[in-house]
Amino acid sequence: MAFQSGSPFRSGVLVAAGVLCLTGCSHKDPVDTTLGWMQHMRGGVIASQRPPPPGIYDPYPHVGLTPTTTPDMPSPQARALITQQMIRDRNLMYRTVAANGTLMPEIPPPPGAAAAPKPAATPQAGNGSGTTTTQPATLPEGTAGAIMDAADAPPPQPATPTAAADKLSKPALPSTSAPSTGGLFGADKKKDAGKGETEVAMPEIGMPDVKTTAQTPPTPASAIPQIAAGPPAPPSFPGFNIPSDAYLPDAVRPNYDLSDAKGTAIHCVPQSDQISSGQDDTFAKLVTKTPHGPFYVRGFGSAASLDAQAQADAVQLGLLRAQNIAKKLIDLKVPASAIHIRGDAFGMGARIATTP
């Protein structure tokens, strides 16, 4: 049996083969296909493709490009000094917390809470077990309406002599209106009051006018408090002794040398005795100018406190920095006898000078 070129059977076979080829090339399972349909129907950012991660098309790095130089690390002496400082700071924190106590103190109850009487316990109605419950206090019936009526009523009018005389001459007539039952916010009394009384206009309340022509009188010299020449005397109370150090002056601070140190500045790694990289030309120029010295190296410890222990640690760090600079000079053929080192607590980095 021969098939014609335009027969429907041949067209169906070609379409089925094309669908199978497309299905095999898509590499998507039913879950991915369904997820793609949902994202396309929702639209927005979720329907867009995810951008590729950065560097996905870059070549792989070579092992030979890894760093080969040793990073600047403090010496074992400088690391031990930093460790001792951290240990002292930790112990100081422990002692401070123990001295200050907890941050959540016990708050006593208000003074009136203990003296306030407790409500009486009444037996619950219809409860045969004999248990008691506390009933909340309530107002008598009609009291709320009377309170609201008094609040809504207009202020009383001042009595005049004529009105007082008429009141005395006329006998009091019995009221024919029904007594108020204290309805919703006293609606009955509002209606009766609105029939026979007119609302009295109240005067408008406002702030007084500000006058720009007012002049402030000058302050007399006697009204200005005088500044005392010295601090006031400490208070004295009967039965209490004045502390022995109440009249002692403040501690005398050392006379620091605040002048700028002379010499060539050398930068060091913060909190370390290592010399920062990139300063070889500076050392070469110093040695070329004076190959046999002398060199006066002054290292600074960057002290940030007036504490004696902190300053001692800073002087030790300054000496370590000066020693490393001296080793650098010795490597450049400078005689060791021509190098003088010194450590200071306050300052940054180090200085190299040719004069003391």
Side-chain angles (χ1 to χ4, degrees):
M1 180 179 180
F3 297 99
Q4 300 179 1
S5 61
S7 63
F9 182 78
R10 184 176 181 180
S11 301
V13 171
L14 294 176
V15 171
V19 170
L20 292 176
C21 293
L22 293 176
T23 306
C25 297
S26 61
H27 301 290
K28 289 186 178 181
D29 55 1
V31 176
D32 295 338
T33 305
T34 307
L35 181 62
W37 289 346
M38 293 177 60
Q39 293 180 354
H40 182 70
M41 287 187 295
R42 290 180 180 179
V45 180
I46 195 174
S48 61
Q49 295 293 333
R50 181 183 301 175
I56 188 175
Y57 301 111
D58 295 345
Y60 287 98
H62 298 283
V63 180
L65 298 179
T66 56
T68 57
T69 58
T70 305
D72 296 334
M73 296 293 295
S75 64
Q77 295 83 359
R79 292 198 297 268
L81 177 62
I82 295 175
T83 303
Q84 293 297 329
Q85 292 176 357
M86 296 177 65
I87 292 175
R88 284 195 297 268
D89 293 342
R90 180 194 61 188
N91 295 337
L92 176 61
M93 185 264 298
Y94 289 159
R95 292 178 180 271
T96 304
V97 172
N100 295 338
T102 177
L103 297 179
M104 299 297 295
E106 296 182 0
I107 302 177
K118 296 182 179 180
T122 57
Q124 186 178 2
N127 190 358
S129 60
T131 58
T132 59
T133 57
T134 304
Q135 299 292 340
T138 57
L139 296 176
E141 184 179 358
T143 306
I147 295 175
M148 296 304 299
D149 292 343
D152 294 337
Q157 298 297 328
T160 57
T162 307
D166 295 342
K167 186 175 181 180
L168 294 174
S169 59
K170 295 181 181 180
L173 297 178
S175 176
T176 57
S177 60
S180 174
T181 58
L184 183 62
F185 301 103
D188 299 336
K189 288 190 177 182
K190 286 184 179 179
K191 294 180 181 179
D192 297 339
K195 293 180 181 179
E197 297 180 9
T198 58
E199 185 177 359
V200 180
M202 297 297 294
E204 184 178 358
I205 300 175
M207 297 296 293
D209 297 336
V210 179
K211 298 181 180 180
T212 57
T213 57
Q215 297 182 358
T216 304
T219 303
S222 59
I224 300 177
Q226 301 296 326
I227 301 177
S236 60
F237 300 95
F240 292 90
N241 297 327
I242 300 178
S244 59
D245 58 348
Y247 299 99
L248 294 179
D250 295 338
V252 179
R253 294 186 178 182
N255 187 14
Y256 298 117
D257 183 12
L258 302 180
S259 60
D260 191 11
K262 57 183 179 180
T264 304
I266 302 298
H267 186 271
C268 297
V269 179
Q271 302 299 327
S272 174
D273 59 345
Q274 295 298 320
I275 305 172
S276 301
S277 58
Q279 303 183 88
D280 294 338
D281 294 341
T282 303
F283 284 95
K285 291 180 181 179
L286 290 173
V287 175
T288 303
K289 187 176 181 180
T290 53
H292 301 289
F295 291 103
Y296 295 88
V297 183
R298 188 175 179 181
F300 304 99
S302 307
S305 174
L306 297 179
D307 183 64
Q309 185 62 46
Q311 295 186 37
D313 295 341
V315 171
Q316 186 176 357
L317 179 59
L319 287 174
L320 293 175
R321 289 176 173 177
Q323 289 177 2
N324 284 343
I325 293 176
K327 294 177 182 178
K328 184 79 171 179
L329 294 175
I330 293 174
D331 294 340
L332 296 176
K333 308 303 180 182
V334 176
S337 59
I339 302 175
H340 307 272
I341 63 174
R342 173 184 171 181
D344 290 272
F346 297 92
M348 301 293 294
R351 293 274 184 171
I352 303 177
T354 54
T355 56

